[in-house]
Amino acid sequence: MGLEDISSPVFTIDSNKVSMPDIAGKTYTFDEVIDIIGFGQTTLQIFIASSIIMMAVLNETMGISIVIPAAQCDLNLSATDKGILTGVSFAGIIVSSHFWGYIADTKGRRRTLIVSLLLTAVCSLVSSLSINYTMMVVMRFLVGVFISAPSATIFAYLGEFFKTANRTLVITYASTAVGLSAVFTATAGWYVLSLHWMLDIPGTELTIKPWRLLFFVYTIPTLIGAFWLMILPESPKFYLSRGRESEAFEILLRLYLENHPHAAVDDFAVKHIAPEAGQKDRSTSLKRTGSCWKVACSVWNQTVPLFQKQNVINFVICCVVQFGLFVVSAGMGLWFPDIINRLTTTNVSDISVCEALEVSANPGYILNAETIIDEACNDNINERVFIYAISLGILYTVVYLAMSVLMRKLGRKCLVAFNLFFSGCSGIVLQFVANPYITIALFCSFLVFAGTSISILNGATVSIFPTNVRAMAVCLSLMMGRLGSVFGSNLVGLILEENCTLTFYLFASGSIICAVLTLFLPS
C-alpha cells in the first residue's frame, strides 16, 4: 500500500482518521520513532525551508544597516536616528519574545511561523514606503515584533523532526544561512544601490529609489519561507506534547510511508510513544480563556516550568550565555563596517586598531567630514563596506560547516567553550597588532566564533528542555540575546571613542566568561 492509498489529506490538523490503537504493544521513545521513519523528502524540505527562514530573520534585522546609509538623505537621518533605526527591530523582538514563545508552545510551531512571517513581510514592505523617520521607526519596530517568532520558533520546529542526538548538528548545518544572509544582503545591496533612478508617485510625497526596492529584495526569503511552510506538516512532537496523539500518529505514519514507498500501513510498528519525563498530557485543544487574566495565568503557567529545579540552572546559563554572545557578535558586529572603514582609510601605517580609531576621531578628521556633509548630503556607500560584509558572510558559512564536522568529535559543549575562548583571545590580541590585515582577520574571528556559537547554543536549548516549554525556553533565551545586542551596540557607542582599549577588553572578557559557563551545561 502506498501513500496514495490513504484517503485522508496528507497533513490534516483536524482529522482523526488515524486513531490510537487499542491493542497493547511496545512503547517507543520519540527518538526511536524517528529512526524507524528515516530521512525523506519532507524532512529535507523542512530543513531547507528552515534555513531560508533563518536567513529571512537576519535579512530583516541586520539588512537595515545597509539600507540606512542610502536612505539617510531622503529621511533626514541624524547619527542618533541611525542608531535608533539600527536597534529598533531588536527592541521589537525583546518585547514580544515571551508572547511568541507562549503562542508557539500552545498553538503550534507551524501556524505561529506562517502568521508571523506573513505579518513581517507586510510590515517590511510598508516600511519601504516610509515618507519620514517616524513612520520608518514604527514599521521597523513592528518588523521586530513579528520576526521575533521565527527567530526562535524555527529552531524548535526544525529540531523536533530529528532525534535528540542530531538536533544540534542539524541546526548548526541549517545555520549556515546566517553566513549566506550576510552574503545575500551585501551582494543585493551592492547591486541595487549601484542603480541610479527615481520615480515620483503623483499626488504623494513619496519618491521611489533603489534603497526602497532593497527592502522588497530582502523580504523575498520571508515570503518563500511562509508559503513553503503551508505545504509542510506541524511538528508531531508538538501534537504529542498537547495530548493530540491521533494527529501526531497521522503525520508520523505518512512520513514513514513516504520514506518507505513499498511499505504498508501495518508495517509501521509504532503503536505507543512514551511521553517525555516531566511532560503532562494536554487536552486536544486549548480551553477558551474568558478574560485577559486567564490568558496571563496561562502564559505564567507556561513559563513557570523553566524555573523549576530541574530546569532553572540550565535556563539561566543559556540566557546569560546568549546575552554575552549577542553582545559580541551583534553589538560589536553592528559597528564592524564603521570600525574597519576607519581602520583602512587611516593614512598612518603600522598602528593598532585603537590608535587608528583615535587618529580618525581627531578634530581635524571630524571637521573635514562635517564640511563634506554640510556641502551636500552624501548617501553613497563605500564599496569596501560591501566587500567586508561579503567576506564576513563567507567566513561565517565556512566556520558553520567546520563546526558541523567538529561537533561530532568534540561535542557541542566543548565546541562552544572553545569558540568563545578563541573569540575572547582574538579580541584581546587584535589590540596589540599593527598590521591592518592581521587586525581585520582577528576582528573577524572575534565576531564569527562568537556568532556561530549562537546556533549551537540554540540547538542545545532545543535538546535540553522538554517539548512543552521548548519554544518558550528558546524565545526567552534569545530575548536575552537580543537585549545583549542592544546593550552591546550602545555600549560601543558610549565608550569606544573615550576608551577603545577598555571596550575591547570588556567584550573579549565577556566571551571568555561565557566559555566557562557553557561547561556547566549538559553534554
Side-chain angles (χ1 to χ4, degrees), residues 330-381:
M332 179 67 78
L334 287 170
W335 289 85
F336 174 79
D338 180 67
I339 292 175
I340 294 299
N341 185 56
R342 290 162 66 178
L343 176 64
T344 55
T345 54
T346 302
N347 295 324
V348 183
S349 59
D350 296 328
I351 58 176
S352 68
V353 61
C354 286
E355 291 170 338
L357 293 176
E358 185 177 352
V359 169
S360 68
N362 70 67
Y365 178 89
I366 295 175
L367 179 61
N368 292 336
E370 289 178 347
T371 302
I372 294 173
I373 293 173
D374 288 339
E375 291 176 358
C377 180
N378 183 11
D379 57 7
N380 294 321
I381 303 178

Side-chain angles (χ1 to χ4, degrees), residues 9-35:
V10 177
F11 301 122
T12 303
I13 293 179
D14 297 325
S15 172
N16 290 316
K17 294 188 178 181
V18 180
S19 58
M20 289 290 294
D22 295 324
I23 60 173
K26 176 182 176 181
T27 298
Y28 292 84
T29 65
F30 191 80
D31 282 356
E32 290 173 334
V33 176
I34 293 297
D35 278 335

Side-chain angles (χ1 to χ4, degrees), residues 299-315:
V299 173
W300 173 253
N301 291 333
Q302 192 69 25
T303 308
V304 166
L306 293 174
F307 295 94
Q308 292 174 347
K309 184 178 180 180
Q310 67 270 28
N311 293 325
V312 64
I313 294 178
N314 292 333
F315 178 65

Side-chain angles (χ1 to χ4, degrees), residues 206-431:
L206 183 64
T207 300
I208 304 297
K209 289 186 176 181
W211 67 264
R212 297 185 185 275
L213 175 63
L214 197 55
F215 277 116
F216 283 79
V217 176
Y218 287 168
T219 305
I220 291 174
T222 306
L223 292 171
I224 292 175
F227 288 118
W228 202 338
L229 281 174
M230 292 180 183
I231 62 172
L232 295 176
E234 175 59 273
S235 162
K237 214 166 192 304
F238 164 75
Y239 280 144
L240 289 172
S241 75
R242 306 304 297 175
R244 298 161 67 174
E245 290 86 357
S246 62
E247 291 159 294
F249 269 81
E250 182 175 1
I251 292 174
L252 293 170
L253 173 60
R254 294 179 186 283
L255 290 175
Y256 174 79
L257 294 177
E258 177 187 288
N259 299 343
H260 302 81
H262 302 294
V265 173
D266 293 338
D267 294 330
F268 188 52
V270 178
K271 306 302 179 185
H272 303 284
I273 299 178
E276 290 182 331
Q279 178 180 308
K280 297 180 180 180
D281 291 336
R282 307 294 182 93
S283 60
T284 302
S285 60
L286 294 174
K287 295 181 180 179
R288 294 188 177 273
T289 55
S291 66
C292 293
W293 171 250
K294 290 184 178 180
V295 173
C297 289
S298 180
V299 173
W300 173 253
N301 291 333
Q302 192 69 25
T303 308
V304 166
L306 293 174
F307 295 94
Q308 292 174 347
K309 184 178 180 180
Q310 67 270 28
N311 293 325
V312 64
I313 294 178
N314 292 333
F315 178 65
V316 171
I317 291 176
C318 286
C319 288
V320 173
V321 174
Q322 285 282 27
F323 182 88
L325 292 177
F326 274 87
V327 164
V328 175
S329 64
M332 179 67 78
L334 287 170
W335 289 85
F336 174 79
D338 180 67
I339 292 175
I340 294 299
N341 185 56
R342 290 162 66 178
L343 176 64
T344 55
T345 54
T346 302
N347 295 324
V348 183
S349 59
D350 296 328
I351 58 176
S352 68
V353 61
C354 286
E355 291 170 338
L357 293 176
E358 185 177 352
V359 169
S360 68
N362 70 67
Y365 178 89
I366 295 175
L367 179 61
N368 292 336
E370 289 178 347
T371 302
I372 294 173
I373 293 173
D374 288 339
E375 291 176 358
C377 180
N378 183 11
D379 57 7
N380 294 321
I381 303 178
N382 193 315
E383 288 187 352
R384 291 182 180 181
V385 173
F386 301 114
I387 295 173
Y388 296 143
I390 291 172
S391 301
L392 190 65
I394 293 173
L395 183 58
Y396 260 108
T397 304
V398 171
V399 173
Y400 266 121
L401 292 174
M403 295 301 103
S404 302
V405 175
L406 292 174
M407 195 180 304
R408 294 181 180 274
K409 298 181 179 180
L410 300 179
R412 66 192 179 205
K413 182 168 68 174
C414 292
L415 188 58
V416 172
F418 170 79
N419 283 356
L420 291 175
F421 183 77
F422 188 81
S423 169
C425 291
S426 298
I428 293 173
V429 173
L430 71 84
Q431 301 175 74

Side-chain angles (χ1 to χ4, degrees), residues 48-68:
I48 297 174
S50 298
S51 299
I52 291 174
I53 292 171
M54 292 179 190
M55 181 178 177
V57 171
L58 269 294
N59 286 2
E60 298 293 354
T61 54
M62 303 297 286
I64 188 70
S65 63
I66 291 179
V67 176
I68 286 175

